[in-house]
Amino acid sequence: MDEEWELLAGFLPEGWRALAAETGAMQRARGAIRSPDTLLQVLLLHVATGLSLKQAAARAEVQGLATLSDVALLKRLRRAEGWLGALAQRLFATSRFGGAGPQTPPGRRLRAFDATTVEEPGSTGTDWRIHYAIRLPEMRCDFYEVTDHTGGETLTRLPVERGDIILADRGYGHRAGVAHVLRHHGDVIVRINSTNFPLRQAAAPETAFALLPHLRRLSGHQPGEWAVQFVADGGPWNARLCAIRKSLPATERAQAQLRRDAAKRQRTPRPETLESAAYTYILTTLAPDVVDTAGVLELYRARWQIERCFKRLKSLFRLGHVPKRQDASAHAWIEGKLLTVLLIERLLHEARFFSPWGFGLAPSQPLARVSRGA
């Protein structure tokens, strides 16, 4: 176990132990936990493996890590919020996701919004839904909300500040949610479904915007955009629809998925739906002089680039009990999940370039000299 931890700790950012003291996670070496290594191992037993606080405390004692109660572990988790967040942020900066996508426009804050379901084990049997916002490129959680499984995915849940740019997928493509962001002086980049997000022509607001005829005008793989309007909460809102034609393999994958989804519902997809799957179209409320057409698509691609990370995060979220009462413990729990995801990604990357001896050599490690008589 010590060898395995030494290997895993080698993936953590430089100075991670000192950071525990700087952020207040390790105020002094006392009690059951006397080092950052022990603290992080015990915390990961809870946030990474799906063990409850009691189970994690019991496992820590059995493994000889530390002897502490579940209450003491919860207090440690709350104090470690800043530490776990800083570790995730620094690890993300050096990961292959850290350089994904273009720079955020000056003076703006880029935030990806998503949700996932938590299935609690044991006797509770309760399903919860976690709604969370992650700031990019820092990969830092700055908002969460826990609802029961009936809590819908909507941008109206998200606190928005002036200058925010909200990245969201098709599940958040609803007019009321986009209007909520605009009312709070933010902007969106969101995929939409043409059937539940009707658009009008900006130049002729009384005329509906016909999506497919416009998409068909796209030449090759050059992006295009159109000025549009939509109506929500009593007033028209201006927006831009940016689109690009997919490659043939991407189109075939999207159409195959549509057919599979329709078959599960014993339906047949409409020809228009299959044709629109040949394009990616994004609604944005950003002004053209802030981000051009290609920039909008690139910003959305940045969100898509970390989709694998989100999917792994969602898979991990389905394990264990999420703290539901204290902001500090819930934020620390989410930051710990993000750190776990990034460690998994790093392990997968390293596994592609494995060594026969099972670990990597540090560049500065000296060669051992063996005497002839040895």
Side-chain angles (χ1 to χ4, degrees), residues 344-358:
I344 289 174
E345 292 289 346
R346 180 65 182 274
L347 284 167
L348 289 173
H349 175 73
E350 294 295 329
R352 297 189 183 98
F353 304 97
F354 70 92
S355 304
W357 45 86

Side-chain angles (χ1 to χ4, degrees), residues 272-284:
E272 296 85 355
T273 303
L274 291 173
E275 184 179 356
S276 65
Y279 306 88
T280 296
Y281 43 95
I282 311 292
L283 184 85
T284 184

Side-chain angles (χ1 to χ4, degrees), residues 21 42 73 102 109 122 354:
V42 173
L73 177 55
R109 186 171 66 160
F354 70 92

Side-chain angles (χ1 to χ4, degrees), residues 307-325:
E307 184 65 19
R308 275 189 62 195
C309 188
F310 276 138
K311 287 181 178 179
R312 206 173 300 281
L313 174 62
K314 290 179 179 182
S315 176
L316 289 167
F317 262 135
R318 297 174 70 87
L319 302 173
H321 293 257
V322 56
K324 294 179 284 293
R325 296 176 183 158

Side-chain angles (χ1 to χ4, degrees), residues 103-126:
Q103 295 294 318
T104 305
R108 311 302 289 267
R109 186 171 66 160
L110 191 62
R111 304 166 73 199
F113 194 41
D114 212 334
T116 191
T117 299
V118 175
E119 295 178 356
E120 292 194 2
S123 59
T124 55
T126 305

Side-chain angles (χ1 to χ4, degrees), residues 52 80 130 154 183 220 240 251 258 311 354:
S52 68
I130 297 181
T154 171
R183 278 199 309 272
R240 300 154 58 200
T251 298
L258 284 172
K311 287 181 178 179
F354 70 92

Side-chain angles (χ1 to χ4, degrees), residues 2-299:
D2 290 340
E3 288 185 357
E4 291 177 352
W5 174 250
E6 184 180 351
L7 175 64
L8 188 64
F11 296 144
L12 293 170
E14 185 177 352
W16 68 272
R17 293 181 177 90
L19 197 60
E22 294 172 14
T23 58
M26 281 289 297
Q27 296 175 341
R28 60 183 66 90
R30 67 176 186 179
I33 296 179
R34 306 183 65 84
S35 72
D37 291 77
T38 302
L39 176 58
L40 188 54
Q41 288 181 74
V42 173
L43 291 177
L44 290 178
L45 280 175
H46 173 52
V47 300
T49 68
L51 297 177
S52 68
L53 289 166
K54 283 187 176 181
Q55 291 170 331
R59 184 72 63 83
E61 183 173 3
V62 169
Q63 293 182 182
L65 285 172
T67 301
L68 73 169
S69 67
D70 56 327
V71 175
L73 177 55
L74 179 59
K75 290 180 180 179
R76 290 281 189 172
L77 178 66
R78 290 172 183 166
R79 286 203 299 268
E81 176 193 354
W83 186 42
L84 294 172
L87 290 179
Q89 180 178 344
R90 294 186 182 189
L91 191 59
F92 180 77
T94 59
S95 71
R96 60 196 179 91
F97 298 109
Q103 295 294 318
T104 305
R108 311 302 289 267
R109 186 171 66 160
L110 191 62
R111 304 166 73 199
F113 194 41
D114 212 334
T116 191
T117 299
V118 175
E119 295 178 356
E120 292 194 2
S123 59
T124 55
T126 305
D127 287 346
W128 303 92
R129 182 167 287 156
I130 297 181
H131 311 265
Y132 58 95
I134 295 179
R135 196 178 306 172
L136 303 176
E138 301 95 327
M139 198 66 174
R140 183 72 186 267
C141 175
D142 63 16
F143 167 79
Y144 86 98
E145 181 183 6
V146 181
T147 67
D148 62 22
H149 67 281
T150 63
E153 297 181 353
T154 171
L155 292 176
T156 58
R157 298 185 181 279
L158 183 64
V160 179
E161 297 181 8
R162 182 182 293 272
D164 280 355
I165 302 174
I166 309 301
L167 290 171
D169 216 340
R170 195 155 29 202
Y172 294 91
H174 305 288
R175 288 174 292 169
V178 175
H180 162 78
V181 175
L182 289 170
R183 278 199 309 272
H184 289 83
H185 310 288
D187 286 293
V188 302
I189 297 177
V190 59
R191 290 186 74 181
I192 62 171
N193 188 325
S194 60
T195 58
N196 59 17
F197 204 119
L199 297 171
R200 300 177 176 183
Q201 296 186 31
E206 69 282 354
T207 305
F209 180 82
L211 179 62
L212 275 177
H214 286 83
L215 293 177
R216 290 169 185 150
R217 298 174 192 168
L218 294 175
S219 175
H221 296 300
Q222 291 298 313
E225 76 162 66
W226 302 273
V228 294
Q229 280 190 354
F230 67 94
V231 177
D233 295 340
W237 302 92
N238 293 321
R240 300 154 58 200
L241 189 71
C242 303
I244 191 167
R245 186 188 298 270
K246 296 178 184 177
S247 67
L248 182 58
T251 298
E252 292 174 345
R253 287 194 299 269
Q255 292 174 340
Q257 184 63 51
L258 284 172
R259 292 188 178 95
R260 286 193 295 269
D261 293 342
K264 292 178 182 178
R265 299 190 298 269
Q266 297 183 339
R267 296 179 181 177
T268 301
R270 296 184 306 156
E272 296 85 355
T273 303
L274 291 173
E275 184 179 356
S276 65
Y279 306 88
T280 296
Y281 43 95
I282 311 292
L283 184 85
T284 184
T285 57
L286 286 165
D289 59 346
V290 176
V291 182
D292 61 14
T293 309
V296 170
L297 295 171
E298 280 295 300
L299 281 171

